[in-house]
């Protein structure tokens, strides 16, 4: 009995530890937390994950940034993620590389794409001709939610 309790407590501790992870997006079903429209293109998607809450998805990094700048996540913790435009892999928003491409059509016309790193950006034809943008320029001085990291 004692052993079962110890195993149970260990499993609970493991499930509660660690940083929040990105959740899978259901294209056309998950709604943007800012405009409430269905997220239509996973290559531009973003999300905020807060422990104990459902993820909040966004049409694109610019919508996530507007949500953050409006103070909607202040004091709640959590971690923001953006999709690498080229690979679709979720990347922590505070570690992503952002590019503003004026001629690129994006779901909400922010003309921003995110990538895991410079190599992914350089391999993405959609980012060509764009200008690298610092996260502080997009999200403001507080930056994207990073779980206190």
């Amino acid at each position: 009995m004692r052993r079962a309790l110890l195993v149970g407590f260990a499993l609970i501790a493991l499930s509660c530890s660690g940083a929040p992870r990105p959740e899978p997006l259901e294209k056309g079903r998950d709604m943007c937390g800012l405009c409430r429209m269905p997220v239509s293109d996973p290559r531009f998607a973003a999300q905020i994950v807060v422990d104990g809450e459902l993820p909040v998805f966004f049409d694109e990094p610019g919508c996530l940034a507007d949500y953050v700048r409006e103070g909607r996540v202040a004091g709640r913790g959590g971690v923001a993620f953006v999709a690498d435009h080229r690979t679709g892999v979720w990347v922590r928003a505070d570690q992503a590389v952002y590019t503003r491409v004026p001629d690129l059509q994006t779901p909400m016309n922010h003309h921003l794409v995110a990538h895991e790193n410079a190599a992914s950006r350089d391999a993405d034809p959609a980012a060509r001709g764009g200008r690298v943008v610092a996260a502080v320029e997009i999200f403001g001085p507080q930056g994207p939610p990073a779980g206190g990291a």
Side-chain angles (χ1 to χ4, degrees):
M1 179 70 162
R2 177 185 249 180
R3 185 176 207 170
L5 284 173
L6 289 174
V7 169
F9 285 129
L11 289 174
I12 290 170
L14 284 173
S15 68
C16 294
S17 65
R21 297 188 179 280
E23 295 290 330
L25 169 73
E26 291 187 44
K27 177 185 169 189
R29 183 170 178 188
D30 286 317
M31 308 297 256
C32 177
L34 191 66
C35 71
R36 305 306 306 155
M37 292 175 56
V39 177
S40 60
D41 191 336
R43 298 173 305 156
F44 295 101
Q47 65 176 286
I48 296 174
V49 181
V50 177
D51 279 338
E53 297 181 19
L54 292 172
V56 179
F57 289 98
F58 301 92
D59 282 315
E60 61 177 82
C63 292
L64 166 64
D66 289 346
Y67 191 87
V68 169
R69 283 193 314 269
E70 289 175 5
R72 295 188 188 191
V73 293
R76 291 178 44 215
V79 178
F81 297 91
V82 291
D84 180 304
H85 183 265
R86 185 180 66 83
T87 66
V89 171
W90 288 111
V91 178
R92 283 180 53 122
D94 62 324
Q95 298 171 359
V97 174
Y98 298 94
T99 308
R100 188 172 310 279
V101 187
D103 295 334
L104 181 65
Q105 281 298 106
T106 63
M108 298 305 289
N109 295 316
H110 286 100
H111 308 287
L112 277 172
V113 290
H115 294 93
E116 183 173 13
N117 52 43
S120 183
R121 179 200 61 223
D122 293 346
D124 187 351
R128 291 199 182 111
R131 176 180 66 86
V132 174
V133 182
V136 70
E137 186 178 332
I138 299 167
F139 295 97
Q142 73 279 357

